[in-house]
Amino acid sequence: MAAGLQARELEDVGAAGGETGDLVEIWARVRARLRAEVGDAAFRSWLKPLTLIGLHNGQLRMAVPSRFMRDWLNSNYVDRIQMLWSEEQPTLVGVEIVVRPPARPAAAETPAPANAPSNKSAPGEAPVVEVPTGLPERISRAEPEQPPLLEVDDEAERCRAISASLDPRFTFENFVVGKPNEFAYAAARRVAEAETAPFNPLFLYSGVGLGKTHLMHAIAWQIRHSHPDKRVIYLSAEKFMYQFVRALRTKDTMAFKEQFRSVDVLMIDDVQFISGRDATQEELFHTFNSLVDDNRQIVISADKSPSDLEGVEERMRSRLGWGLVADIHPTTYELRLGILQSKAEQLAVPIPEKVLEFLAHKITSNVRVLEGALNRLVAHATLVGRSVTLETTHDLLQDLLRASDRRVTIEEIQKKVAEHFNVRLSDMYSARRARSVARPRQVAMYLAKQLTSRSLPEIGRKFGGRDHTTVMHAVRKIEELKATDHAFAEDVDLLRRMLEG
Amino acid sequence: MNATQQIPLALEPRPALGREDFLVAPCNAVAAGWIDAWPDWPVPLVTLVGPAGSGKTHLAQVWRARSGAAELDPATGDAADLTEALGEAHAAVVDDAERLAGQPAGERGLFHLYNLMRERSGHLLLTARHPPSRWSITLPDLRSRLESGAVAALGEPDDALMGALLVKLFADRQLRPGAGAIDYLLLRMERSHAAACRLVARLDQRALAERRELRLPLVRAVLEETEREDASAERS
């Protein structure tokens, strides 16, 4: 098909009165003049992406990546292009700008890396990057200094520059699937593997830290891997807003619009952050419509379902719910343990299964905190060169495990210690010196020194007006005993932990 | 005030904040270890947590100098300002980050800062009295991010540190008390950073006002005075 078209168009070129190579040369000259007229910045934004399709019956056809860009060129530059071109080729009748369809899949030339999504392209496909229409490719051969092939890569590159960087760990392979997230996972995979948008938009929502961002990154990785020429932008709503505000400040909103309306896949994370930002919402709404009209894929994430998004306009909310809405439910114990086990396998430091079970049991709020807890354990173990145990886990994560950091008082220590050793509370400040009451009293003094910042004279006073040297003696005595008597040491540590939390 | 007293100028001492000025002891060794381990942090965020005067800011300054971190206040300006203030920096430090909790602008700023650092594979260091899990954060997205970071605790000083801390605090004020005075204080004072700072400040002021040497009698008098005050504060 391409060959037939090529022959016909070449005839047209001939019929137009010039040589075959003329068209390309004319375009090169016209481009150079346009560049000089409009300046580098505008040229790069608007005219550089323009690719030549051909000349037919005096009608010059050119392609751009988006509808928005076409409209902009039509209203701002097309007359100028026609005028400059006519000076070169007086037979020119008109200039028509068309939208280049979204990039089509390309077969990858390299095998998938072990941890990246597997490549889905058919084995029979030619190992070349296909340019959308097939036509600009022809031009590219004729015009090596400005190959549209590179242009497409350039744009994919440019999108990567705007896009937030992707976390290499956030792939589908590293996503632990369980009942609470299997639906969202399946939807994300569909979007990543589909050639055309299966549902638009894909709206992922869940409470914080349950894996939305992971799935978003996984989609982007997979698409970038299997379609390197696709223009994929992934960014947070905050960043979208920031870029928009900056564009407003520098009066460059046109380039901003073009940037976002010419992508193949737009992914916006945490869309709830545009709540109450009317101008940004308006912009996103139009971007959204433009992309949906062109059948480009949109993926949105938020902490609530579209209808529950506060501070977002009704029309926006309804638009967000048009495609597929998939939520991720809070994790189950099994899923949390699965996530920890899968993470632990990749760590250099061995983590006892008991610790993983303990974490899965205790930290139920969200996966981000759960993984963060594991990171904290590993980081600490690496830092101090000690292995991870249930005890170090208790100590290190006490802020996450305990409801509060309330300071223990000396009175509480006395009460708890008396109960524990089955002596009367009054024995804590009595003058009795029998070993059966003296030892518990010493333990209580020791704990008072460890767990409070009270001065030693103050502690002495609370124990029946004893001297600070008595407290010092008690502390030394308990330290000695702890060092020699393992069971006793455990007993004291147990008391300490009970008092702390 | 009696006639022989001189009114001392309230000149704040300038503390020495170099890494070599930081006193490492068991109660803060892990926190110092985190600072020394940079840039090999396995997490984008580390929060230094400890009571007043425990050396959080000191360590944060050591890290800032080492990492070239931008020091900013996320509560001022929007995301755009913040991004500009940050420039190309791959490290940022926010002192007393806890104060931002509950403040919409501050929370958003911190959230944005965290995301920026994470995106750049950079690092963010916060200091606070309490771990992030204890802050009253209203933005759930911020809460989960901060809670997923590492917490490096600086404890109240242990015996090993307390003596050294007193010496440093006196040295910051160019005071050189006798060894007997330090030992006397160590056995009798409240064992906290805050108490050490208060005591040293008061001793300095009294020594200056009364033109007395920093010896045992003055130390004893000041300590008894603070104890009486604390006791009456407790009763009221």
Side-chain angles (χ1 to χ4, degrees):
Chain A
M1 177 204 99
L5 253 178
Q6 187 172 349
R8 205 185 66 227
E9 293 214 356
L10 286 182
E11 251 172 58
D12 288 336
V13 173
E19 302 271 317
T20 311
D22 275 2
L23 206 53
V24 169
E25 280 170 24
I26 292 171
W27 181 218
R29 283 197 295 274
V30 170
R31 276 170 68 115
R33 290 185 62 186
L34 283 167
R35 185 181 204 129
E37 280 182 21
V38 304
D40 270 354
F43 179 82
R44 257 201 312 279
S45 301
W46 307 111
L47 298 162
K48 191 157 175 261
L50 203 55
T51 52
L52 202 50
I53 298 178
L55 189 67
H56 186 64
N57 292 338
Q59 192 74 20
L60 184 71
R61 294 185 80 213
M62 307 179 105
V64 287
S66 75
R67 182 193 302 251
F68 170 78
M69 197 158 187
R70 179 198 62 194
D71 297 346
W72 181 254
L73 281 164
N74 273 334
S75 55
N76 291 282
Y77 293 104
V78 85
D79 293 345
R80 193 66 203 146
I81 295 172
Q82 184 167 349
M83 188 177 291
L84 290 174
W85 198 289
S86 298
E87 286 175 16
E88 299 271 346
Q89 199 172 30
T91 53
L92 184 78
V93 178
V95 176
E96 186 193 3
I97 295 174
V98 298
V99 180
R100 194 191 303 154
R104 279 213 309 271
E109 288 156 281
T110 47
N115 65 340
S118 60
N119 192 300
K120 301 288 174 208
S121 52
E125 257 177 287
V128 289
V129 178
E130 254 184 73
V131 179
T133 59
L135 286 170
E137 196 185 351
R138 175 176 65 83
I139 301 294
S140 84
R141 287 196 202 105
E143 191 196 29
E145 68 274 17
Q146 281 296 339
L149 203 73
L150 254 180
E151 207 97 298
V152 172
D153 283 350
D154 255 6
E155 278 163 32
E157 253 339 287
R158 218 152 44 111
C159 287
R160 277 173 212 207
I162 301 159
S163 195
S165 60
L166 299 177
D167 191 321
R169 293 164 304 175
F170 287 174
T171 61
F172 282 125
E173 277 62 29
N174 286 341
F175 191 83
V176 180
V177 187
K179 262 257 170 299
N181 59 25
E182 61 188 5
F183 180 61
Y185 171 79
R189 273 216 102 116
R190 256 312 281 296
V191 163
E193 286 162 7
E195 298 303 343
T196 54
F199 14 77
N200 223 348
L202 169 60
F203 189 98
L204 297 168
Y205 80 93
S206 73
V208 296
L210 293 179
K212 296 183 296 276
T213 299
H214 188 144
L215 284 179
M216 301 272 275
H217 284 216
I219 294 172
W221 277 126
Q222 168 113 8
I223 295 176
R224 278 187 187 173
H225 183 258
S226 46
H227 305 278
D229 56 330
K230 268 201 182 179
R231 289 151 294 179
V232 180
I233 288 190
Y234 161 83
L235 80 174
S236 64
E238 287 259 285
K239 200 153 181 199
F240 180 84
M241 190 160 71
Y242 160 60
Q243 299 222 2
F244 181 58
V245 170
R246 197 174 57 172
L248 285 175
R249 281 187 194 165
T250 58
K251 302 195 169 45
D252 198 14
T253 49
M254 285 305 144
F256 174 86
K257 286 176 203 290
E258 177 47 33
Q259 205 170 54
F260 284 99
R261 292 179 194 186
S262 63
V263 300
D264 293 308
V265 183
L266 177 65
M267 311 212 278
I268 297 197
D269 211 350
D270 285 325
V271 83
Q272 70 270 15
F273 283 102
I274 60 161
S275 131
R277 310 287 169 131
D278 295 344
T280 304
Q281 276 186 37
E282 173 92 19
E283 183 53 37
L284 187 58
F285 182 74
H286 292 304
T287 303
F288 199 96
N289 288 343
S290 159
L291 290 173
V292 170
D293 287 348
D294 291 345
N295 203 23
R296 316 289 172 94
Q297 180 71 56
I298 299 167
V299 184
I300 303 281
S301 87
D303 64 348
K304 295 186 191 70
S305 74
S307 54
D308 289 338
L309 285 173
E310 289 158 23
V312 173
E313 278 179 67
E314 176 50 38
R315 58 176 184 165
M316 186 75 195
R317 278 186 290 175
S318 97
R319 203 58 56 99
L320 289 172
W322 269 7
L324 182 75
V325 176
D327 64 336
I328 305 176
H329 299 278
T331 54
T332 55
Y333 172 79
E334 289 74 23
L335 181 58
R336 289 194 296 275
L337 188 59
I339 290 168
L340 288 171
Q341 283 166 338
S342 127
K343 244 197 107 122
E345 273 170 26
Q346 302 164 19
L347 298 170
V349 181
I351 310 285
E353 186 68 16
K354 255 200 175 118
V355 170
L356 299 182
E357 286 167 11
F358 175 77
L359 293 178
H361 180 65
K362 285 285 188 182
I363 302 176
T364 58
S365 57
N366 66 61
V367 177
R368 187 180 291 130
V369 174
L370 188 67
E371 293 189 344
L374 192 58
N375 282 337
R376 274 166 72 171
L377 292 181
V378 172
H380 184 263
T382 320
L383 208 61
V384 302
R386 247 181 283 151
S387 56
V388 176
T389 64
L390 210 49
E391 282 68 35
T392 54
T393 304
H394 266 288
D395 284 349
L396 272 173
L397 303 179
Q398 46 179 270
D399 63 294
L400 293 178
L401 300 171
R402 272 195 244 136
S404 76
D405 282 330
R406 202 177 45 84
R407 280 289 182 86
V408 189
T409 64
I410 293 177
E411 288 76 10
E412 282 167 323
I413 294 171
Q414 292 174 327
K415 192 160 169 279
K416 189 63 108 186
V417 172
E419 274 168 20
H420 184 80
F421 290 103
N422 209 10
V423 299
R424 285 194 305 270
L425 181 58
S426 59
D427 285 331
M428 286 290 145
Y429 23 85
S430 76
R432 284 182 64 201
R433 294 168 80 170
R435 161 86 66 89
S436 63
V437 294
R439 186 73 81 233
R441 193 188 296 131
Q442 285 172 332
V443 169
M445 287 184 194
Y446 167 83
L447 289 170
K449 176 166 184 278
Q450 299 298 316
L451 301 179
T452 76
S453 64
R454 296 301 188 164
S455 70
L456 301 184
E458 169 97 33
I459 295 173
R461 273 197 293 280
K462 295 260 163 105
F463 282 85
R466 288 175 160 82
D467 190 69
H468 74 267
T469 52
T470 309
V471 180
M472 287 297 291
H473 174 75
V475 170
R476 268 199 299 271
K477 186 78 203 162
I478 299 302
E479 274 168 357
E480 272 169 36
L481 282 173
K482 275 185 74 185
T484 52
D485 185 343
H486 189 64
F488 179 76
E490 275 190 2
D491 214 22
V492 175
D493 279 340
L494 176 72
L495 264 169
R496 182 177 62 87
R497 229 175 286 144
M498 282 185 339
L499 282 160
E500 278 183 331
Chain B
M1 188 180 287
N2 67 50
T4 61
Q5 272 193 343
Q6 207 177 33
I7 300 170
L9 287 172
L11 289 175
E12 282 302 307
R14 190 176 305 153
L17 290 181
R19 171 66 181 86
E20 55 284 357
D21 302 312
F22 188 83
L23 310 163
V24 180
C27 63
N28 62 28
V30 168
W34 271 102
I35 297 305
D36 291 341
W38 185 87
D40 297 326
W41 289 0
V43 285
L45 166 74
V46 174
T47 307
L48 294 177
V49 173
S54 56
K56 305 180 294 288
T57 304
H58 188 159
L59 276 185
Q61 289 304 324
V62 170
W63 184 73
R64 194 187 54 76
R66 171 112 50 92
S67 66
E71 191 165 13
L72 10 100
D73 180 3
T76 58
D78 56 12
D81 299 328
L82 206 56
T83 310
E84 251 129 62
L86 207 54
E88 295 297 305
H90 276 64
V93 58
V94 179
D95 214 2
D96 188 17
E98 199 171 345
R99 80 199 129 88
L100 301 170
Q103 263 190 65
E107 288 196 5
R108 281 182 78 109
L110 196 52
F111 177 72
H112 193 67
L113 186 60
Y114 176 95
N115 287 343
L116 276 170
M117 280 303 138
R118 205 199 146 109
E119 211 174 85
R120 297 174 180 201
S121 308
H123 295 115
L124 178 60
L125 181 74
L126 308 178
T127 71
R129 295 273 178 98
H130 309 100
S133 53
R134 298 281 180 260
W135 305 357
S136 46
I137 302 169
T138 46
L139 202 60
D141 300 81
L142 178 65
R143 169 171 291 282
S144 74
R145 277 166 179 77
L146 297 188
E147 283 186 7
S148 72
V151 172
L154 296 102
E156 287 291 6
D158 36 44
D159 294 346
L161 182 62
M162 203 63 192
L165 178 69
L166 284 174
V167 172
K168 178 185 185 294
L169 289 173
F170 281 122
D172 282 344
R173 293 168 180 272
Q174 295 175 11
L175 293 173
R176 225 172 282 128
I182 299 272
D183 289 343
Y184 185 88
L185 279 171
L186 281 178
L187 278 179
R188 292 169 180 83
M189 63 183 281
E190 182 191 322
R191 293 154 307 117
S192 73
H193 285 277
C197 293
R198 269 200 313 270
L199 263 175
V200 170
R202 181 174 279 201
L203 280 165
D204 184 15
Q205 198 233 10
R206 286 283 292 272
L208 202 58
E210 297 169 20
R211 289 184 222 156
R212 283 171 73 181
E213 294 265 337
L214 237 179
R215 292 192 192 283
L216 217 47
L218 179 64
V219 171
R220 187 181 293 142
V222 167
L223 196 59
E224 278 167 10
E225 196 178 288
T226 34
E227 265 178 30
R228 271 197 305 278
E229 283 172 13
D230 288 351
S232 72
E234 207 169 296
R235 272 194 303 275
S236 62

